[in-house]
Amino acid sequence: MSNAKVQPEGEGVQGEGGRPFRSQVSSAIASNSHLLAKAELYFTAFLSMSDMVSDLVMVARYYRNNEISFALASLICLGLNLTIQSAGVFLTKPLDKQLKEQAIVWTLIKAGVDAHRVATKAQTQEGDAISTRADMTVARVIEMVTESIPGTIIQAMAIVATGDLSVTPVVSLTSSILTSA
């Protein structure tokens, strides 16, 4: 008779502490998954804010180069996004938070603030009509529909129309594409 320990079906190689190696790997992945989720939240917020700033830079560039139709189209998209975001804040936040929350929208940092609130598991505050996660999700959808996707189209049309493949328009277009994805 052999004294070899028989592994139960599916247990696999033993790791430290007698736990199956596969279980240890799963635990390690699970413990780091929240870090990856936070990193994704912050990266997406960074892209969103970068996209809006790069769009403003492009508006100034279009205006300076007398490409008024592209400047106006971009401004309309940005303005529509910010106006709808502002209306969303008005409808979902209590009156005593309006000034602060409106400032967050109009200073273009809402994506970052929302990401931080979700990443730190900030609780929905008393008087808020929707959860912090729902607020972030709705804001991102509004941004994609009113600013990122139309902005991508406008900037691509401007590049084709002008043939300008310099760094600024290409970076701004790339930012819009990544934010839309």
Side-chain angles (χ1 to χ4, degrees):
M1 291 245 172
S2 169
N3 286 340
K5 184 177 176 186
V6 176
Q7 295 280 345
E9 180 84 21
E11 287 294 315
V13 178
Q14 293 292 322
E16 291 181 23
R19 285 180 44 210
F21 181 71
R22 184 175 44 207
S23 175
Q24 287 179 338
V25 170
S26 295
S27 294
I29 290 170
S31 70
N32 289 322
S33 66
H34 74 282
L35 293 175
L36 293 174
K38 283 183 179 183
E40 182 181 359
L41 280 170
Y42 287 120
F43 181 70
T44 303
F46 171 76
L47 281 177
S48 176
M49 292 184 298
S50 298
D51 180 38
M52 284 195 273
V53 170
S54 73
D55 287 352
L56 286 172
V57 169
M58 288 309 301
V59 166
R61 185 182 179 114
Y62 295 145
Y63 183 76
R64 189 175 52 249
N65 293 338
N66 205 29
E67 296 160 349
I68 304 303
S69 60
F70 294 126
L72 277 175
S74 296
L75 273 177
I76 289 169
C77 291
L78 282 165
L80 182 61
N81 174 38
L82 293 172
T83 301
I84 293 173
Q85 299 276 358
S86 179
V89 164
F90 181 75
L91 294 172
T92 61
K93 301 292 182 184
L95 280 176
D96 62 329
K97 295 182 185 174
Q98 284 295 316
L99 184 60
K100 176 184 173 189
E101 296 296 327
Q102 292 293 343
I104 288 169
V105 169
W106 291 99
T107 57
L108 311 179
I109 62 170
K110 183 164 176 34
V113 171
D114 286 348
H116 181 71
R117 287 174 177 164
V118 170
T120 59
K121 297 181 180 175
Q123 297 298 314
T124 301
Q125 299 296 309
E126 187 177 325
D128 288 356
I130 59 176
S131 70
T132 53
R133 182 170 292 280
D135 186 26
M136 182 186 76
T137 302
V138 169
R140 293 301 64 79
V141 169
I142 291 167
E143 179 188 348
M144 271 190 1
V145 171
T146 62
E147 192 259 326
S148 297
I149 293 171
T152 300
I153 295 166
I154 293 164
Q155 290 178 39
M157 289 173 55
I159 287 173
V160 169
T162 63
D164 184 3
L165 288 173
S166 61
V167 173
T168 304
V170 171
V171 167
S172 185
L173 177 60
T174 302
S175 176
S176 291
I177 290 170
L178 290 173
T179 302
S180 301

